[in-house]
Amino acid sequence: MVDSHSSESTASLDQVQRLERRLAREIGARKEAERLLEQKSLELFALNRNLAQLNASLEQRVQERTLELDRERHRAQEQAYRDPLTGLANRLVLQKHLQQAACSGEASSNVAVLYLDLDGFKAVNDSLGHPIGDELLCAVSARLRQCVRESDLVARIGGDEFVVLQMEAPQPRAGTDLAERLIRAVQAPFSIQSHQILIGTSIGIATASTASAEANSMLRDADIALYVAKAEGRGIWRAFEPEMNQQMQVRRHLEIALRCAVAEKEFEVFYQPLVQADTGDLMGFEALLRWSHPERGSISPAEFIPLAEETLLIKPLGAWVLEKACCDAARWPAPLKVAINLSPVQFVKGRLVDEVRHALSISGLDAARLELEITESVLLQNSDETLRLLKDLRDLGVQIAMDDFGTGYSSLSYLRSFPFDKIKIDRAFVQNLADGNGSLEIIRAVIGLGRALNMKVLAEGVETTEQFAALQAEGCDEVQGYLFSKPVALKDAWRTIANDQDRRSMLRSQHVFPQNLCLEGSVGAT
Amino acid sequence: MKGRVFTELFEHVEKRYGADMVDDIIDAAKLSHDGVYTSTGSYPFEEMVSLVKALVAATGQSLPAVLEPFGTHCFESWVSYAPQYFSRDRSLFDILEGIDEFHEVEVRKLYPDAELPSFVPETRSSQALTLGYYSCKPLVPLALGVIRGAAAHVEQDVTLTCEPAMGPRGPYTRIYVNLTQ
């Protein structure tokens, strides 16, 4: 009993101890859990504080970034409204001001838009380089600014294009006065690095009274007036007139038609005979371009050639004429030659020499039978380069003639600068022969000059037998004009050739040496 | 090792072998703190080794025989904690492939610093799934127990085999789970 009792109590004791230990474990775990909880609370508190600090510093960074962004935006706006080179206002600002001016009602009648384009700037840029060109633009900008009042706006809106917006000034007088001042300011020599530079400016003016006072139309009208100013001789101003717009429209339509014509090959080459003055023999023909518009009919070269030059369409057109005329001439009996006019534009950065070589090669025409006519305006531009081109052409074996001599500057130094084969006296002198106003003396002098320099002399525009007789008497080498034939189509040129050959063979059979003989038949060949 | 594993072990041992067994293995393991564990605390893995060894000694069973049921217990506790991951509508393979997501999303919330094992599916067909078992602790039988727990959960009979393997992350164990129904 005692043993059983004692073993039961031992078991109970053991159980109690186990329970006590379990309880101790549970209490220990709870305390440990509380400690961990406190530790986590502290960590949470620290995290919270860190979070608050992080938040504050983020707020501060956001503020700083916002400020930075504002500054950048402001800078970007400044840049967006300024021409970076000159610091002048740009087109955007100009548009804004124009719109404001247009909206200001009565005040808009006191606004003038002056559109400036520098004359001769491109040549400076090309010959002296862009850095000098840029400096020049800055110097021009400074002068323009000096000419205007605080309330006016000067903007640069293109390479060498500026616009002055004159505000609150009695128009049109104030605008034209300002244009005069601007022209004088730009005309004065510029000293850039070691270069003395002379340029000019042409100005188109539009005022609310002439334009429709809309921002865009004022600028457009000023641009049109500028175009007219440039066309009329540069270095001048022109105020917009509504007719100018119509002229522009006409010109625009003509340009479109011309582009189509080049693509559609609406052109034809006509030929006008060149006649030996003393024998009356046919020497060749001058090739003359004709445009036959499908609706408007024949369009004058005086109308479309300047436009073709301006739009550079003369380049493909000129190349085509070269090819066509050489091919036609190659079929004519030798030594009949063909004279072809070259435009100054064909001398600028083109492939003129290659084109001539190509025309000769595909036509098989002897180079000696090709005569290229240039006007002195060719020599006016970048003459070193032009002379090199002329020498290259001469090296091909072609003849070079100076056309329209006596008009323009007629500088004798041009005749010295290049050994021309022929001088063509302008028609104006021939037509005024009978007036006794010195034309005869000039023709005589030019013929003498030609002899002295070993250049043939041809007189253009011979219309009467009196003129022809006078020219023969002066010893002129060749003549050309309506007296012999107007420019004719190729098939009629062939008839002229046939008549000339008949006449020559007849003369040979009669052993008669003709004097004062016109090209019989060729006059009536048209 | 997180205290939660120790408390789970005690719960499992108490359920399977009785409360006294818990006292006995704590005594036998000669722990410095008399077996006081809280789930969020961290404790040396060696203490778990000592406890399991004590359990092996006390029950006379092999180590895998002791660890596997514990793995099954662990799976059951996950089911009760986050049943949405272990819906019986899902297939066994889907559940097994979802264990890592459960670990990373649910377990990580409570125990951000826990060293969690990973079950990476390698190949799967209608009848067989190959899992890569990655753990920094040598507890493959525990992983097998987890898989058996999952199989039992969806009433799916399986056979499990495993082999050591080597991958870009180092050595791991490849477990083949084959359906037998």
Side-chain angles (χ1 to χ4, degrees):
Chain A
M1 279 296 284
V2 174
D3 277 354
S4 127
H5 182 75
S6 137
S7 69
E8 271 177 27
S9 61
T10 306
S12 302
L13 193 65
D14 185 44
Q15 193 62 27
V16 168
Q17 283 173 345
R18 276 178 183 275
L19 287 172
E20 278 175 355
R21 286 217 317 269
R22 267 175 224 169
L23 188 63
R25 271 208 311 276
E26 293 297 328
I27 292 168
R30 201 190 74 197
K31 282 184 177 165
E32 177 67 5
E34 281 167 357
R35 191 188 64 76
L36 280 171
L37 196 64
E38 281 169 7
Q39 190 187 323
K40 292 287 170 198
S41 288
L42 287 173
E43 283 174 15
L44 208 62
F45 176 77
L47 273 174
N48 236 339
R49 200 179 46 197
N50 285 348
L51 210 60
Q53 282 172 350
L54 193 67
N55 204 24
S57 84
L58 271 176
E59 282 280 343
Q60 195 182 341
R61 275 172 65 185
V62 166
Q63 276 179 3
E64 283 170 4
R65 286 282 162 87
T66 310
L67 269 175
E68 218 171 282
L69 213 62
D70 280 348
R71 276 197 296 267
E72 278 298 317
R73 192 177 296 135
H74 189 251
R75 203 174 303 150
Q77 270 176 353
E78 274 285 300
Q79 280 172 355
Y81 294 144
R82 295 263 149 230
D83 167 43
L85 176 66
T86 61
L88 291 178
N90 64 10
R91 188 182 282 273
L92 215 61
V93 182
L94 175 68
Q95 290 286 1
K96 276 191 173 182
H97 281 69
L98 274 170
Q99 265 150 16
Q100 281 168 4
C103 293
S104 61
E106 292 226 341
S108 70
S109 61
N110 292 329
V111 173
V113 176
L114 286 82
Y115 205 131
L116 286 80
D117 185 290
L118 301 184
D119 301 324
F121 175 74
K122 192 177 174 302
V124 172
N125 231 4
D126 289 348
S127 56
L128 301 178
H130 289 281
I132 300 265
D134 286 353
E135 271 194 56
L136 179 59
L137 288 173
C138 291
V140 169
S141 306
R143 284 196 192 168
L144 298 183
R145 261 196 288 229
Q146 282 167 3
C147 292
V148 302
R149 298 164 309 159
E150 275 289 302
S151 54
D152 302 337
L153 179 82
V154 184
R156 177 172 174 240
I157 61 168
D160 61 346
E161 292 180 8
F162 299 84
V163 170
V164 176
L165 187 60
Q166 190 183 35
M167 311 289 282
E168 295 164 26
Q171 300 302 347
R173 186 61 203 245
T176 56
D177 286 351
L178 177 57
E180 296 279 355
R181 286 205 302 279
L182 293 170
I183 288 170
R184 278 200 300 277
V186 178
Q187 265 170 356
F190 287 91
S191 187
I192 308 285
Q193 294 182 16
S194 59
H195 303 279
Q196 281 282 312
I197 299 173
L198 279 171
I199 55 167
T201 182
S202 305
I203 303 179
I205 309 172
T207 53
S209 58
T210 55
S212 54
E214 283 171 22
N216 282 333
S217 68
M218 276 181 81
L219 195 59
R220 188 200 61 205
D221 293 348
D223 190 17
I224 291 171
L226 169 65
Y227 177 81
V228 173
K230 285 184 96 78
E232 288 184 11
R234 296 165 194 268
I236 56 173
W237 59 264
R238 282 290 172 266
F240 176 77
E241 292 161 15
E243 302 79 61
M244 288 179 178
N245 199 9
Q246 284 162 3
Q247 287 160 12
M248 276 305 270
Q249 298 289 350
V250 169
R251 184 191 166 279
R252 198 167 295 131
H253 286 138
L254 188 66
E255 184 183 333
I256 293 166
L258 187 63
R259 285 185 189 281
C260 292
V262 172
E264 299 293 322
K265 300 216 175 2
E266 289 170 8
F267 296 94
E268 198 180 343
V269 179
F270 272 44
Y271 295 99
Q272 186 172 38
L274 311 175
V275 178
Q276 177 79 24
D278 51 2
T279 62
D281 288 347
L282 178 67
M283 302 304 289
F285 294 89
E286 179 177 359
L288 295 158
L289 189 59
R290 289 289 179 269
W291 175 15
S292 173
H293 190 275
E295 286 150 29
R296 293 175 52 188
S298 177
I299 296 176
S300 160
E303 196 177 346
F304 75 82
I305 295 283
L307 186 63
E309 288 180 327
E310 201 178 304
T311 54
L312 302 185
L313 284 168
I314 196 74
K315 290 197 177 193
L317 210 48
W320 176 79
V321 172
L322 269 169
E323 236 179 89
K324 174 78 171 75
C326 285
C327 287
D328 288 347
R331 296 195 189 91
W332 301 336
L336 286 184
K337 62 193 174 189
V338 65
I340 301 172
N341 293 287
L342 294 181
S343 157
V345 178
Q346 287 172 280
F347 281 81
V348 182
K349 290 182 188 163
R351 303 173 49 250
L352 179 61
V353 179
D354 286 341
E355 283 165 3
V356 172
R357 192 182 289 122
H358 175 73
L360 289 171
S361 134
I362 62 157
S363 65
L365 181 73
D366 179 4
R369 293 173 60 197
L370 175 60
E371 196 172 276
L372 297 176
E373 297 185 0
I374 65 161
T375 55
E376 65 184 5
S377 55
V378 169
L379 290 164
L380 275 172
Q381 62 187 21
N382 196 5
S383 56
D384 286 348
E385 171 70 7
T386 309
L387 286 176
R388 194 181 58 72
L389 276 174
L390 285 174
K391 286 192 175 75
D392 288 349
L393 290 171
R394 164 67 64 78
D395 289 345
L396 295 177
V398 303
Q399 310 272 299
I400 311 284
M402 166 69 89
D403 201 5
D404 298 341
F405 192 76
T407 58
Y409 293 98
S410 298
S411 167
L412 296 181
S413 66
Y414 293 140
L415 292 181
R416 205 185 52 181
S417 65
F418 187 77
F420 289 96
D421 297 288
K422 187 188 277 185
I423 305 171
K424 294 185 80 171
I425 302 176
D426 190 71
R427 62 181 62 247
F429 298 101
V430 178
Q431 274 154 15
N432 295 332
L433 258 178
D435 298 351
N437 60 358
S439 288
L440 179 66
E441 287 71 20
I442 289 174
I443 288 174
R444 187 176 294 152
V446 174
I447 290 170
L449 207 58
R451 286 226 181 88
L453 295 172
N454 203 22
M455 299 172 185
K456 282 191 172 169
V457 176
L458 180 145
E460 295 181 284
V462 182
E463 291 179 359
T464 66
T465 49
E466 290 76 20
Q467 288 167 350
F468 182 34
L471 290 164
Q472 280 181 313
E474 293 303 326
C476 185
D477 298 301
E478 292 179 7
V479 285
Q480 174 183 0
Y482 274 33
L483 177 64
F484 312 101
S485 168
K486 67 177 188 183
V488 294
L490 179 62
K491 63 175 174 26
D492 296 321
W494 272 109
R495 204 172 300 155
T496 305
I497 292 169
N499 289 339
D500 178 62
Q501 285 179 338
D502 290 348
R503 190 184 62 84
R504 288 196 208 199
S505 56
M506 192 178 76
L507 288 175
R508 267 198 301 275
S509 65
Q510 292 173 357
H511 302 288
V512 175
F513 198 71
Q515 287 291 325
N516 300 349
L517 202 69
C518 299
L519 269 177
E520 291 167 26
S522 61
V523 174
T526 58
Chain B
M1 182 171 254
K2 294 311 291 182
R4 180 67 189 255
V5 185
F6 291 87
T7 58
E8 285 292 340
L9 177 71
F10 293 160
E11 198 177 296
H12 163 67
V13 169
E14 187 175 342
K15 207 159 56 182
R16 191 172 176 96
Y17 305 103
D20 287 353
M21 182 62 89
V22 178
D23 296 337
D24 292 344
I25 62 172
I26 287 170
D27 285 347
K30 298 191 169 27
L31 305 169
S32 58
H33 49 67
D34 292 332
V36 174
Y37 292 99
T38 60
S39 61
T40 52
S42 292
Y43 305 90
F45 176 62
E46 289 70 32
E47 291 184 6
M48 175 58 71
V49 174
S50 301
L51 284 165
V52 171
K53 274 184 179 167
L55 184 60
V56 166
T59 58
Q61 292 179 306
S62 66
L63 182 66
V66 165
L67 279 181
E68 270 204 31
F70 178 45
T72 302
H73 166 86
C74 286
F75 180 81
E76 287 162 357
S77 95
W78 297 345
V79 173
S80 58
Y81 175 71
Q84 69 275 23
Y85 284 88
F86 307 104
S87 160
R88 287 197 170 84
D89 296 339
R90 303 177 71 192
S91 73
L92 172 63
F93 292 169
D94 284 347
I95 286 174
L96 294 177
E97 285 183 3
I99 288 176
D100 269 16
E101 191 194 352
F102 162 71
H103 276 160
E104 288 306 323
V105 177
E106 298 300 331
V107 180
R108 201 56 87 191
K109 277 186 207 167
L110 283 174
Y111 312 107
D113 55 344
E115 293 166 333
L116 297 167
S118 174
F119 292 89
V120 180
E122 291 185 352
T123 61
R124 176 174 171 169
S125 68
S126 62
Q127 295 297 304
L129 174 71
T130 309
L131 290 171
Y133 171 68
Y134 295 84
S135 172
C136 57
K137 313 216 167 48
L139 295 172
V140 175
L142 190 81
L144 295 175
V146 166
I147 296 170
R148 285 197 200 286
H153 176 65
V154 293
E155 296 174 352
Q156 175 69 61
D157 287 341
V158 291
T159 57
L160 302 178
T161 47
C162 54
E163 64 181 19
M166 181 61 76
R169 289 157 65 186
Y172 69 100
T173 304
R174 185 177 292 134
I175 300 172
Y176 298 95
V177 184
N178 287 293
L179 305 187
T180 53
Q181 267 178 346

